Amino acid sequence: SQQGEEDPQALSIQEGENATMNCSYKTSINNLQWYRQNSGRGLVHLILIRSNEREKHSGRLRVTLDTSKKSSSLLITASRAADTASYFCATELYTDKLIFGTGTRLQVFP
Amino acid sequence: NAGVMQNPRHLVRRRGQEARLRCSPMKGHSHVYWYRQLPEEGLKFMVYLQKENIIDESGMPKERFSAEFPKEGPSILRIQQVVRGDSAAYFCASSPGRGNEQFFGPGTRLTVL
C-alpha cells in the first residue's frame, strides 16, 4: 500500500500566493524528502528533513514534520509561475528505499 | 561533477523484445536505486544496489526483470520479453550512503508497442 498520501491532489493559485501541500505516512521513518517534477521530466530534490527535526527552510520553501501525527507539509511562499510542477513527498524507511506519495499537481497562474 | 546519467532517454520496443536501461551514478556514489513511474502516478521503488550486490529487490517483479551494478561500469536494469504494461518512465537515483538524499537521473521512457 502507498506509504505517502499527498493532499490536495491538485492546487491552482495565483502568482504571489502561498501554496501548502500536505503529506501523511503510515510507518516510522528515517527521514522525509520533498521532490519536484516538471511535466515529463526527472525529479529535483528540494528538502530532506530527518525524523528528529521539526522544521526546515530553504529559500521560499518551508517544510515541517510532525512524527506524532505522521505528517509533513511543504509551504512555498510568494509562488511564481515557474513553480508549476508536481510535488512529491517520499519517506525513507530504515531500509534506505524511498516510498513516494501520489503527488500534488501545482498550477501557478501569472 | 556530472549528475546521474541515464541512457537511453527514450526507448521503443516491440512486445517480446528485451529492454536494457543504463544508469551511471554521480561520482563518488556507490548506492544505486531504480524506480518506475506509471503515467500520472508517483514513483515506485524497484531495487537498491551497491557495487556487485543487490541490497533490496522487494519492488522488482519476480519474472523478466533483473538488475545489476557491476564493479566497473553503469548499473543495468534489464527487462526481458517486454509487454505493454512495462511502458513507463524508469528513474535511477544514486546516493553516497545510507540516510542521504538521493539524486535522480532524467529517466528513461520506455514505450512498448
Side-chain angles (χ1 to χ4, degrees):
Chain A
S1 63
Q2 203 76 26
Q3 163 76 329
E5 296 289 340
E6 273 118 318
D7 171 61
Q9 287 189 321
L11 179 62
S12 294
I13 58 175
Q14 295 288 139
E15 259 190 335
E17 293 181 337
N18 295 342
T20 300
M21 289 160 265
N22 303 296
C23 168
S24 60
Y25 57 93
K26 297 176 183 175
T27 64
S28 295
I29 61 172
N30 187 31
N31 63 61
L32 185 145
Q33 305 181 35
W34 284 91
Y35 288 83
R36 182 183 72 218
Q37 184 179 36
N38 289 85
S39 180
R41 307 288 292 275
L43 279 80
V44 174
H45 187 271
L46 298 176
I47 285 186
L48 180 153
I49 185 165
R50 301 192 186 280
S51 59
N52 61 352
E53 296 175 311
R54 291 297 166 258
E55 189 171 310
K56 260 189 136 169
H57 297 255
S58 176
R60 294 184 296 112
L61 306 180
R62 173 178 166 248
V63 167
T64 62
L65 179 65
D66 187 336
T67 52
S68 65
K69 295 181 179 177
K70 292 187 169 57
S71 67
S72 174
S73 68
L74 170 66
L75 169 67
I76 304 174
T77 59
S79 63
R80 304 167 182 168
D83 294 328
T84 294
S86 290
Y87 291 82
F88 294 92
C89 72
T91 50
E92 185 181 311
L93 311 182
Y94 291 95
T95 56
D96 254 10
K97 61 189 178 188
L98 289 176
I99 309 294
F100 282 81
T102 49
T104 293
R105 287 161 187 75
L106 174 66
Q107 175 85 50
V108 181
F109 291 98
Chain B
N1 186 9
V4 178
M5 310 285 285
Q6 286 188 253
N7 68 80
R9 294 290 302 275
H10 298 272
L11 182 61
V12 179
R13 284 285 179 265
R14 296 192 181 278
R15 280 180 296 171
Q17 292 184 319
E18 179 180 287
R20 279 181 179 248
L21 288 61
R22 295 175 188 78
C23 169
S24 296
M26 286 180 69
K27 189 176 180 180
H29 288 192
S30 58
H31 297 235
V32 166
Y33 311 80
W34 285 93
Y35 296 85
R36 177 166 63 178
Q37 185 179 33
L38 295 171
E40 307 299 320
E41 293 189 11
L43 278 72
K44 298 281 174 56
F45 169 81
M46 297 182 74
V47 62
Y48 162 35
L49 310 104
Q50 293 181 29
K51 285 283 187 182
E52 300 184 281
N53 284 306
I54 296 175
I55 307 302
D56 183 345
E57 56 181 347
S58 57
M60 287 273 274
K62 294 288 186 288
E63 297 177 351
R64 303 188 297 108
F65 285 71
S66 63
E68 62 176 8
F69 188 17
K71 188 176 180 180
E72 301 291 337
S75 175
I76 306 286
L77 178 67
R78 182 182 176 205
I79 311 172
Q80 295 178 288
Q81 300 174 336
V82 295
V83 301
R84 288 215 175 109
D86 296 333
S87 295
Y90 291 82
F91 290 95
C92 166
S94 74
S95 78
R98 307 188 79 137
N100 290 283
E101 65 180 271
Q102 295 181 17
F103 294 84
F104 280 78
T108 293
R109 278 154 185 80
L110 173 65
T111 301
V112 180
L113 302 177

